[in-house]
Amino acid sequence: MEQHIEHYFKGSDKLSKDRLVFSIKKDFPSWSENTINMYLSKLKKDGVLNNPSRGIYEIENKEQFYPKISSNLKRIYNKVNREFPYISFCVWDTIWFNDFMIHQPFKNYVVLEVEKDACESVFSFLSQTMKNVFFNPDEEIFERYIHNVDEVVIVKNLISESPLIERDKITIPTLEKLLVDMLIDASLFSAQQNEKEIIIKNVKQRFTLNELKMNRYASRRNREKEIYELINISLAK
């Protein structure tokens, strides 16, 4: 089936599952629907197919999100992981958005998102040996302190069931999570607010986004409808 798969998508970027199964059955009439589902699942795991939304398939021909993880980011991650080996947390850098922007921000922040029960403990631990560490800063803290200093580390609560991935043995947010957060957290992503439509368009051109994953995470943040509308408005421009 892998040899036929590109032919099924000829002239179409995306196919409904019903349409795809119909095409497969024409070439493999003896296959049951369970057999076809098994092969579709295997092709997804092998990176041949992508399932961006319910009942929709597309050929996976875009890049995988693999941001540059700096030595400083690794150092901070490993430091926290050694001290708190059993907590859920992730790290990332706002500089990752620069590739999708026209105007480059003057400042970038390292962000640690930590499960709620351990967040204050991680903040206290990092504050003992590092300067400019901030805990769940609000808009006023950003304006009065964070915008005026360099090498800032922000510790904030990790939303439960956040979509995370592992890169270079470091746990980071998925691209879907970062985009949703960018649209919601205007203070943290202030530098990106004027270019959010450009960022979304550039991301869509380079990467395959899992819309189901974005919607689930937006729902966890009680902003599913708003995020759906913002993304569709951005893509329409």
Side-chain angles (χ1 to χ4, degrees):
M1 191 173 79
E2 188 171 350
Q3 295 175 350
H4 290 71
I5 201 73
E6 288 191 15
H7 175 73
Y8 301 145
F9 285 87
K10 191 173 182 180
S12 300
D13 293 330
K14 298 180 180 181
L15 290 176
S16 68
K17 184 179 180 182
D18 289 343
R19 176 78 179 275
L20 182 56
V21 169
F22 177 78
S23 299
I24 294 169
K25 282 188 172 181
K26 284 173 43 175
D27 289 325
F28 304 94
S30 64
W31 286 8
S32 68
E33 192 146 338
N34 284 338
T35 299
I36 293 173
N37 286 336
M38 179 187 71
Y39 279 113
L40 290 177
S41 179
K42 184 178 186 302
L43 290 176
K44 282 170 59 179
K45 289 180 180 178
D46 292 344
V48 177
L49 283 180
N50 184 48
N51 182 206
S53 56
R54 194 181 306 278
I56 299 296
Y57 284 86
E58 63 186 7
I59 292 286
E60 179 64 271
N61 55 10
K62 295 182 181 179
E63 298 177 49
Q64 294 292 312
F65 180 56
Y66 216 116
K68 182 179 180 181
I69 299 175
S70 67
S71 57
N72 182 49
L73 204 61
K74 290 181 180 179
R75 180 179 61 82
I76 294 173
Y77 179 88
N78 290 329
K79 183 175 184 176
V80 174
N81 196 41
R82 283 193 298 268
E83 185 72 15
F84 304 93
Y86 303 112
I87 67 170
S88 296
F89 76 103
C90 67
V91 296
W92 54 279
D93 196 320
T94 58
I95 200 172
W96 293 352
F97 279 91
N98 289 17
D99 285 346
F100 311 123
M101 299 175 67
I102 295 174
H103 302 97
Q104 300 296 292
F106 291 109
K107 292 183 181 294
N108 299 291
Y109 315 127
V110 169
V111 182
L112 280 87
E113 297 186 55
V114 184
E115 63 178 71
K116 187 175 181 179
D117 290 344
C119 206
E120 288 194 49
S121 297
V122 170
F123 167 71
S124 297
F125 169 69
L126 291 177
S127 297
Q128 293 172 11
T129 56
M130 299 178 68
K131 295 181 180 179
N132 302 326
V133 182
F134 295 87
F135 177 61
N136 282 333
D138 57 18
E139 185 176 357
E140 183 181 358
I141 296 298
F142 270 98
E143 289 294 332
R144 294 183 62 182
Y145 303 106
I146 295 178
H147 290 329
N148 299 318
V149 296
D150 296 320
E151 298 184 8
V152 168
V153 176
I154 295 172
V155 181
K156 63 191 296 284
N157 292 339
L158 176 67
I159 304 296
S160 60
E161 299 181 34
S162 290
L164 308 175
I165 52 175
E166 187 174 291
R167 293 285 188 258
D168 296 338
K169 299 181 180 179
I170 304 295
T171 302
I172 65 171
T174 64
L175 193 50
E176 291 85 357
K177 169 175 159 50
L178 288 174
L179 288 178
V180 171
D181 288 340
M182 177 192 72
L183 295 172
I184 295 175
D185 299 329
S187 296
L188 177 57
F189 293 94
S190 59
Q192 288 77 32
Q193 293 307 297
N194 290 334
E195 296 193 27
K196 56 189 177 185
E197 290 88 1
I198 294 169
I199 291 170
I200 292 172
K201 278 191 174 183
N202 287 337
V203 168
K204 286 282 286 184
Q205 288 174 358
R206 287 179 53 185
F207 302 99
T208 298
L209 290 175
N210 188 314
E211 295 172 21
L212 288 175
K213 189 180 292 184
M214 290 187 75
N215 289 337
R216 280 197 299 267
Y217 178 61
S219 178
R220 295 293 303 167
R221 301 206 61 178
N222 298 316
R223 304 285 283 275
E224 184 175 5
K225 183 178 179 181
E226 180 183 347
I227 295 303
Y228 177 84
E229 291 173 350
L230 281 169
I231 288 173
N232 281 277
I233 289 171
S234 298
L235 293 177
K237 289 185 177 181

